[in-house]
Amino acid sequence: MKHKLHYLISIFFALFLMACQAERTTVEVAASSSQISLSNTLVSDRTNTASEIINENRCQNPTAQYLQNCLAWEEQILAVTVRIEIHRWLSEEGVRGEYIDGSGGHATVIDGRYLITHNHFSIPLESIEGTSGERLRISVYKANGELILDSMRPTAFTIVAQDQETVVLDFGEYVDEGLFDMLDIPSAEFQSWESLALSPGAEVAQINWDNQTAFVEWVNIRSLVTAEGTPRIELDNGVIKGASGGGIFWNGVHIGNNWTSTTVKAANDGVVLDEFSTAALNSKWVGN
């Protein structure tokens, strides 16, 4: 019974780690298809006013007039972006044993002490560690790969808010100052989707990474879905494994996080026909 329980826990944890990566889907279609219906979407009927659009499609190929602004926005976004890594070891008689594997994703700092990311942490990690007899440690890195928090126990943070595809982690306050404030890491401004005037074609900044450092990509919203399931946007850009939870920013404000990435290939020769990603939008109650 003990071996069976450990086996079931290992399967659960493997599925948990898979959730920590940007979910990737490959769809094969007939090569003759010229247009592919990827999803049924309900597009917001809101329209942007001139004052609300301050960077519409300007940073993908910026002119000299906008280049410095775009670079400044990128610097600001990367400053509030961190990467979370979870490492897992076997436990042998109360000591750290054989290393098994690790997993990671990205997050955004808010209010000096919180990280907002994809819903990787739907249950407290210490409950997994305590039940399975394995050891978990969490490390946090800046966007440039610099280590800032090393091998913390699962009790280093608590889950303070979550919905289907977003979670807020609290890393605590020390001497009346949030942990990330203490580390001189700035915080992002947060907005919920209900307060935004998003529409297809609008340009947003998306966090992606190259397996070493995070970077910003300026992409367009392909579609906006708010009336079915999790409010979300589809973006004209794919992200790689490990970019899950990375922020989506509109006019410099955090509005959502990377959720899935989809590649559409021709069935006969594997030629990539389309690639896009989906981001979960912030809900009002998560921000509160």
Side-chain angles (χ1 to χ4, degrees):
M1 181 66 181
K2 180 179 179 181
H3 292 296
K4 183 177 180 182
L5 176 61
H6 184 80
Y7 173 77
L8 292 173
I9 291 171
S10 297
I11 292 294
F12 169 80
F13 195 82
L15 294 173
F16 172 82
L17 288 180
M18 288 174 63
C20 289
Q21 309 300 322
E23 300 174 31
R24 297 192 62 83
T25 303
T26 300
V27 181
E28 292 188 348
V29 299
S32 60
S33 298
S34 58
Q35 293 187 347
I36 306 164
S37 178
L38 297 173
S39 64
N40 295 319
T41 60
L42 297 176
V43 178
S44 170
D45 58 1
R46 292 177 175 147
T47 57
N48 296 322
T49 66
S51 62
E52 290 170 328
I53 303 177
I54 64 173
N55 67 339
E56 183 180 9
N57 303 326
R58 290 176 178 173
C59 289
Q60 293 174 46
N61 295 291
T63 63
Q65 179 183 3
Y66 296 111
L67 178 59
Q68 292 305 313
N69 283 340
C70 295
L71 292 176
W73 284 326
E74 290 182 12
E75 182 178 356
Q76 173 188 334
I77 289 168
L78 292 175
V80 300
T81 297
V82 298
R83 172 168 170 77
I84 308 172
E85 286 191 356
I86 304 171
H87 301 281
R88 174 183 172 219
W89 287 266
L90 288 173
S91 181
E92 298 176 355
E93 297 182 356
V95 299
R96 182 180 295 181
E98 178 186 356
Y99 178 73
I100 302 174
D101 55 18
S103 183
H106 286 75
T108 305
V109 179
I110 56 174
D111 291 338
R113 61 184 283 180
Y114 305 100
L115 294 183
I116 185 168
T117 183
H118 193 67
N119 200 359
H120 307 147
F121 311 93
S122 57
I123 62 174
L125 292 182
E126 62 266 28
S127 65
I128 299 175
E129 183 181 57
T131 304
S132 66
E134 297 167 356
R135 289 198 169 190
L136 306 178
R137 292 296 180 267
I138 300 99
S139 296
V140 180
Y141 300 79
K142 289 183 178 181
N144 64 4
E146 177 187 343
L147 178 66
I148 53 176
L149 296 170
D150 188 22
S151 299
M152 298 179 296
R153 296 185 60 85
T155 53
F157 63 81
T158 57
I159 300 169
V160 292
Q162 63 179 316
D163 59 16
Q164 289 182 321
E165 305 301 337
T166 303
V167 67
V168 179
L169 310 176
D170 183 4
F171 280 75
E173 190 175 73
Y174 302 86
V175 195
D176 298 325
E177 189 174 24
L179 177 61
F180 297 106
D181 279 339
M182 290 181 60
L183 297 171
D184 292 324
I185 298 176
S187 296
E189 183 182 348
F190 172 100
Q191 278 189 271
S192 63
W193 70 266
E194 297 96 334
S195 64
L196 303 173
L198 298 174
S199 63
E203 182 183 75
V204 296
Q206 179 179 38
I207 288 293
N208 205 343
W209 84 309
D210 60 9
N211 289 310
Q212 292 184 325
T213 60
F215 57 91
V216 173
E217 292 189 300
W218 296 95
V219 300
N220 290 339
I221 296 176
R222 176 180 292 190
S223 60
L224 171 63
V225 184
T226 61
E228 54 179 31
T230 299
R232 60 197 182 275
I233 48 177
E234 285 185 357
L235 304 170
D236 283 330
N237 184 57
V239 294
I240 72 168
K241 182 178 180 180
S244 178
I248 307 297
F249 297 80
W250 186 64
N251 294 343
V253 176
H254 184 280
I255 65 169
N257 71 85
N258 289 328
W259 178 6
T260 66
S261 189
T262 301
T263 301
V264 181
K265 295 182 178 180
N268 60 339
D269 57 12
V271 172
V272 175
L273 303 175
D274 193 17
E275 191 169 16
F276 65 96
S277 55
T278 302
L281 293 173
N282 295 336
S283 63
K284 184 182 300 183
W285 66 270
V286 167
N288 294 330

